[in-house]
Amino acid sequence: MIFVAILLLIAGFVALVKGADVFVDGAAALAGKFGIPQLVIGLTIVAMGTSLPEAAVSITAGIKGNAGITVGNIVGSNILNILIILGVTALITNVAIQKTTFKYEIPYMLLITAVLLVMGMTGNEITFIEGVILWILFIAYLLYLYILAKKGNDSGDEQSVKLYPVWKCLLFIVLGGVCVVIGSQFVVNGATTIARACGMSERFIGLTIVAFGTSLPELVTSVSAARKGNAGIAIGNIVGSNIFNILFVIGTVALICPVPFESRFVIDTVVAILCGVLLWGGTIRHKELRKPCGVVMLFCYAAYFVYLAAM
């Protein structure tokens, strides 16, 4: 039974990563066909597309009555995105940070993570009304991106968009979406089975295994960008994905059903806030993320993982 669950988990992760990649290619190409600026595509479709696995897994878990995975998945992914993905990327090359990301997007990420913490501490769950509030904050973020694009602000590197015929774009979107949905079903079923069989909590599974699996697109994107000399997009995409994870994913699940927020998630959410502070502090002097800070990030994640394993 455990062996089958592990196979389901692996197959689900593969489907999630490949599905998200195909979906992003199709959506970005279709947006390009309609003349949508590449800046807008990069800040929305590409950045949010890498968060599709988190969205699919969390929404599927909510529908199936396993919403306990949701907060662990999102908070765990956000911690992993900063400490592991940016930490590894910084070891490969110095990672430049855009002025708008430093001045507005990182502070906004810290703000909404603090909002999530307050929501979770008052009632030990994220309610429908709080889901609406998260969605309002999400719409405000989209308006900010729209204004940024209208001003022609160069907040990130241009995203290269492949050109496909419209029919192929639509095919990619449908196939990618189907893979993401099926993959999310496999991941939720596999992770839940493993957790119950091994006596592990949904919190631990969500914060580690599921968080790592659903963060694979961000990891692949950032490391690939670093190797190609385009690491400047990494921080913006990670911060954008973290914002999307909290506001859209948790907000959407809360609209479907109340999202449990265990008391132990308070520490995890505080860790997520500290990760954002570390990123902000690590880039304040040189306006880029350098190797020493990357090493510190990786050590911090190792310490956090030891804490989780000991609980």
Side-chain angles (χ1 to χ4, degrees):
M1 192 70 178
I2 294 252
F3 180 71
V4 174
I6 291 172
L7 287 180
L8 270 179
L9 199 64
I10 294 171
F13 284 149
V14 171
L16 283 171
V17 173
K18 292 297 181 184
D21 192 37
V22 170
F23 181 91
V24 168
D25 278 352
L30 187 64
K33 285 280 185 183
F34 287 98
I36 297 175
Q38 287 190 15
L39 174 64
V40 177
I41 294 172
L43 287 170
T44 55
I45 295 172
V46 175
M48 294 175 186
T50 56
S51 288
L52 272 180
E54 284 92 341
V57 167
S58 295
I59 292 171
T60 301
I63 292 172
K64 288 190 167 188
N66 295 324
I69 287 178
T70 299
V71 173
N73 178 25
I74 296 307
V75 174
S77 290
N78 284 10
I79 291 170
L80 197 143
N81 281 349
I82 293 176
L83 297 184
I84 294 290
I85 296 175
L86 290 183
V88 169
T89 306
L91 291 185
I92 298 171
T93 182
N94 292 340
V95 187
I97 182 171
Q98 301 299 325
K99 189 180 295 184
T100 55
T101 300
F102 183 80
K103 289 178 64 177
Y104 303 115
E105 290 149 35
I106 292 179
Y108 193 66
M109 179 185 72
L110 292 172
L111 171 66
I112 63 171
T113 309
V115 167
L116 175 65
L117 177 62
V118 172
M119 287 179 173
M121 291 175 69
T122 53
N124 293 325
E125 66 178 13
I126 312 298
T127 64
F128 178 86
I129 297 299
E130 289 168 337
V132 171
I133 293 171
L134 292 176
W135 253 93
I136 290 171
L137 292 171
F138 179 58
I139 292 170
Y141 176 65
L142 291 181
L143 287 174
Y144 157 75
L145 293 181
Y146 175 76
I147 293 169
L148 202 63
K150 289 289 283 184
K151 286 181 177 179
N153 196 323
D154 185 20
S155 66
D157 296 289
E158 288 281 295
Q159 303 284 333
S160 57
V161 177
K162 298 174 184 176
L163 297 177
Y164 301 113
V166 172
W167 69 268
K168 188 174 282 190
C169 295
L170 295 174
L171 179 63
F172 279 13
I173 290 171
V174 172
L175 285 177
V178 168
C179 283
V180 166
V181 170
I182 292 174
S184 68
Q185 298 268 1
F186 284 179
V187 169
V188 170
N189 290 341
T192 303
T193 301
I194 293 170
R196 287 173 180 165
C198 298
M200 292 185 285
S201 67
E202 287 187 351
R203 170 178 174 264
F204 180 80
I205 290 288
L207 284 166
T208 55
I209 299 173
V210 178
F212 177 76
T214 55
S215 289
L216 284 175
E218 286 96 334
L219 179 60
V220 172
T221 299
S222 297
V223 172
S224 175
R227 284 180 173 173
K228 292 177 182 177
N230 297 321
I233 68 172
I235 294 180
N237 279 356
I238 291 298
V239 172
S241 293
N242 282 9
I243 292 172
F244 180 79
N245 282 347
I246 292 175
L247 299 183
F248 176 79
V249 179
I250 295 183
T252 300
V253 177
L255 296 182
I256 298 170
C257 64
V259 179
F261 193 101
E262 295 178 31
S263 58
R264 285 186 291 184
F265 278 136
V266 170
I267 295 175
D268 303 312
T269 310
V270 169
V271 170
I273 293 172
L274 293 176
C275 289
V277 172
L278 176 61
L279 174 60
W280 192 84
T283 54
I284 191 171
R285 185 176 178 185
H286 302 289
K287 297 300 182 286
E288 64 181 9
L289 188 61
R290 298 188 172 183
K291 187 177 292 186
C293 191
V295 172
V296 171
M297 286 178 165
L298 293 175
F299 272 115
C300 286
Y301 189 80
Y304 174 65
F305 188 84
V306 169
Y307 152 74
L308 287 179
M311 291 300 289

